[in-house]
Amino acid sequence: MTSNAQAGSVSDPRGPAPGPAPVSVLVVEDDATIRRAVQLALERYGYRVDVAADGLSGLEAFRAGAHDLLILDVMLPELDGIGLCHRIREESPVPVLMMSARGDALDVVAGLEAGADDYVVKPVDTAVMVARIRALLRRATFGPDDPAPEKPGRDRAPDHILTFGDLTVDTLGMEVRRAGVTVPLTPTELRLLLEFAAAPGSVLDRRRLLRDVWDYGWEGDTRVVDLCVLRLRKKIGSGRIETVRGFGYKLVRG
């Protein structure tokens, strides 16, 4: 009698193992043509895309679904993109990419001050947008590559706990505390702080930070760095990161 369970012929009754869930993106854009074009472009790259046509609908969609990344237009009816970004930042560190029709300096600055991680200028180049999205997602999911250090002695702090005055940075737990109180940081702010903490007292120029924190393989806008440093200072103490005029920034040791 020939067995029906020949090698390689047995199917798993549970079906194939599910693959990873697609990245979920929420696009909030009032122009129907642009909204549809961005949606189709991102879906071609394998993203799952939800859309909203105004700021209030965007806020409802954000609260209703678990999105990995948000793309917000600056000029929106009901609630503009700046206000929407403020509301989102009160509730979540989810990566936010702003879209500006003109690339106007005031729009860009206002978006970044509201808590956006990066921005693109319309009309949007799909390749640039996808590259920015991938960089933002890498920052949102990065973690330590090294194994946990050996348990320290009684009088020795763990190697992964870095202390700068009243600020402590846990590079394994990805947690920041100031005077013992947890400091909520966005993934971009945390990665920026880790760059400074890895070289305390050393001046890091804006181009290096754009490359290492924002993953830019091209010339980027250094205002992104300046505004993120400003937000970070508000959270960890204005004197903790020092500006070295003409060069960049450094983390103060003591």
Side-chain angles (χ1 to χ4, degrees), residues 70 72 81-82 85-86 89 94-99 107-119 136 139 186 188-189 214 224 227-228 231:
L70 310 182
L72 312 179
I82 308 302
C85 190
H86 272 297
R89 277 292 169 256
V94 63
V96 173
L97 181 66
M98 300 293 293
M99 290 194 297
D107 285 350
V108 171
V109 169
L112 296 173
E113 285 183 333
D117 297 281
D118 204 350
Y119 77 97
L136 284 173
R139 295 205 292 278
T186 67
T188 301
E189 291 165 351
W214 277 263
V224 175
L227 271 297
C228 193
R231 294 204 314 264

Side-chain angles (χ1 to χ4, degrees), residues 168-248:
T168 58
V169 181
D170 181 347
T171 62
L172 286 181
M174 296 296 163
E175 185 178 50
V176 177
R177 289 179 175 269
R178 183 183 180 193
V181 178
T182 300
V183 180
L185 299 178
T186 67
T188 301
E189 291 165 351
L190 177 57
R191 187 152 184 170
L192 179 62
L193 179 57
L194 290 174
E195 285 294 324
F196 284 122
S202 299
V203 179
L204 306 184
D205 67 71
R206 293 171 177 82
R207 295 296 175 189
R208 170 180 168 176
L209 292 170
L210 276 174
R211 182 194 68 214
D212 295 344
V213 177
W214 277 263
D215 265 343
Y216 278 178
W218 57 87
E219 290 298 305
D221 188 342
T222 57
R223 287 177 296 184
V224 175
V225 177
D226 296 334
L227 271 297
C228 193
V229 168
L230 178 64
R231 294 204 314 264
L232 187 57
R233 279 173 168 160
K234 292 178 180 178
K235 295 182 178 183
I236 67 172
S238 59
R240 184 59 53 197
I241 298 176
E242 181 180 314
T243 301
V244 181
R245 294 191 179 278
F247 293 94

Side-chain angles (χ1 to χ4, degrees), residues 3 8 18 21 46 58 66 83 89 100 102 107 116 129 132-133 135 137 152 164-165 183-184 204 218 241:
S3 170
R89 277 292 169 256
S100 170
R102 302 178 303 277
D107 285 350
M129 173 172 280
R132 300 286 179 89
I133 289 172
L137 293 173
F164 309 96
V183 180
L204 306 184
W218 57 87
I241 298 176

Side-chain angles (χ1 to χ4, degrees), residues 116-184:
D117 297 281
D118 204 350
Y119 77 97
V120 291
V121 178
K122 296 189 288 186
V124 179
D125 183 297
T126 301
V128 171
M129 173 172 280
V130 170
R132 300 286 179 89
I133 289 172
R134 288 173 175 169
L136 284 173
L137 293 173
R138 282 195 295 271
R139 295 205 292 278
T141 58
F142 80 99
D145 297 322
D146 300 325
E150 295 182 3
K151 188 175 181 179
R154 292 182 59 186
D155 299 324
R156 182 168 175 265
D159 292 338
H160 63 280
I161 302 294
L162 308 179
T163 303
F164 309 96
D166 65 349
L167 189 72
T168 58
V169 181
D170 181 347
T171 62
L172 286 181
M174 296 296 163
E175 185 178 50
V176 177
R177 289 179 175 269
R178 183 183 180 193
V181 178
T182 300
V183 180

